[in-house]
Amino acid sequence: MESYKQEFIEFMVESKVLKFGDFTLKSGRKSPFFMNAGSYVTGTQLKKLGEYYAKAIHDNFGLDFDVLFGPAYKGIPLSVATTMAISDLYGKDIRYCSNRKEVKDHGDTGILLGSPVKDGDRVMIIEDVTTSGKSIEETFPILKAQGDVEIKGLIVSLDRCERGKGTKSALAEIKDLYGFPTAAIVSMKDVVEHLYNRECEGSIVINDQIKAAIDAYYQQYGAQAE
C-alpha cells in the first residue's frame, strides 16, 4: 500500500472522521464503522485532505481534465481544497465547480457556483463517500444539461466495499450505469489491513472485537467481487 494511503487512513482516525463502534446508517444498516467528512473543520485538515485527493486523482485518472465538480454541500470544500492541491503539487490549474441546492435568480444566477461548465469540458466528480449513488443521480443530469461535457470519473475518499442497490458496491454500480470509471483514496479493506492490531492515536483502533464485527458486517452486506 502506498505510503500516502497509510497516512490518509491514520489522518481520518486522528481527525475523528472515521470512527468505530455501533452506528445506524441512513440506509438502516447497523454498521461497526462510520465515516463523516463533515468532521474536517480546520484549514490544516482541509489542506491535507486536498493533497490526499490530488494524489489519488493523479494516480487513478491522471490530470487530463478541465473541471473538478463537487456536489453540494460537502463536495464544495472538497473541490476547492483539491484544485488548490493539484496546483501546488503538480503545477496544473484545474477549475472548480459546484451546484446549488436551489437555483439563484439574482446576481450570480443559475444552479452552479464557481467555474461555468461548457461544451467540450472534461469533468471529474469529487465526493466524500458513496453508499447508494443517489448524489450521482442528481449530479449527472445537472452536468449533462450544461452542454457536451465528458465525465472523466468519480473520486471518493473511502470505498465502503458494501452492496449498493444490488450485489455490487455503489462505486461499481455507478461505473456500470453511467459508463465512467470510479476510484477511492482508500477502501475499507485497506483500512482494516493497516489498522488491525496497530496503535493509532495512542490505542488499538481495530482490535479483535472490532475486527470480528467488521467481518460479520461484510458477511451480511459485503459487495460482490468485480
Side-chain angles (χ1 to χ4, degrees):
M1 193 191 309
E2 295 90 334
S3 60
Y4 80 85
K5 292 186 177 183
Q6 297 177 14
E7 292 170 10
F8 178 64
I9 291 167
E10 295 178 16
F11 171 65
M12 285 193 290
V13 174
E14 292 162 1
S15 302
K16 296 180 173 48
V17 165
L18 180 61
K19 297 180 179 181
F20 298 89
D22 251 333
F23 305 95
T24 301
L25 307 180
K26 284 183 182 178
S27 62
R29 294 176 182 175
K30 304 284 188 181
S31 174
F33 58 91
F34 182 69
M35 184 263 184
N36 175 24
S39 294
Y40 295 117
V41 293
T42 71
T44 299
Q45 287 173 336
L46 287 172
K47 183 175 186 298
K48 286 184 178 179
L49 180 61
E51 291 170 355
Y52 291 125
Y53 266 111
K55 289 174 183 177
I57 291 171
H58 177 269
D59 284 3
N60 287 283
F61 302 100
L63 298 176
D64 194 22
F65 62 97
D66 309 294
V67 180
L68 186 61
F69 184 88
Y73 290 102
K74 288 180 181 177
I76 298 173
L78 297 182
S79 61
V80 173
T82 304
T83 51
M84 293 171 69
I86 290 172
S87 175
D88 286 344
L89 294 175
Y90 303 108
K92 173 135 191 200
D93 245 353
I94 301 290
R95 290 144 46 208
Y96 99 89
C97 180
S98 294
N99 64 299
R100 295 183 171 98
K101 289 289 188 180
E102 300 84 22
V103 177
K104 189 177 178 186
D105 60 3
H106 61 281
D108 180 19
T109 60
I111 197 169
L112 301 182
L113 56 89
S115 170
V117 177
K118 59 187 187 300
D119 278 351
D121 276 341
R122 298 159 301 173
V123 181
M124 179 70 60
I125 303 171
I126 184 170
E127 291 200 279
D128 56 346
V129 66
T130 296
T131 52
S132 68
K134 184 178 179 183
S135 175
I136 295 298
E137 288 178 14
E138 299 170 355
T139 298
F140 189 77
I142 290 172
L143 288 172
K144 285 298 185 179
Q146 307 310 309
D148 182 17
V149 302
E150 178 187 1
I151 310 298
K152 298 291 286 185
L154 165 68
I155 184 76
V156 301
S157 60
L158 178 67
D159 179 358
R160 288 182 61 97
C161 299
E162 63 188 79
R163 296 197 309 269
K165 294 176 180 177
T167 59
K168 293 184 178 181
S169 71
L171 287 180
E173 288 178 349
I174 288 167
K175 180 180 177 181
D176 289 348
L177 184 60
Y178 297 99
F180 54 76
T182 59
I185 304 177
V186 295
S187 69
M188 271 307 296
K189 292 177 183 175
D190 296 327
V191 171
V192 174
E193 176 188 325
H194 183 64
L195 290 181
Y196 180 45
N197 280 338
R198 180 192 299 267
E199 191 171 296
C200 181
E201 286 287 274
S203 63
I204 301 296
V205 180
I206 300 181
N207 55 24
D208 290 341
Q209 182 180 356
I210 295 293
K211 173 69 161 54
I214 292 172
D215 289 345
Y217 185 77
Y218 281 114
Q219 283 181 356
Q220 186 171 5
Y221 298 116
Q224 174 185 305
E226 291 184 68

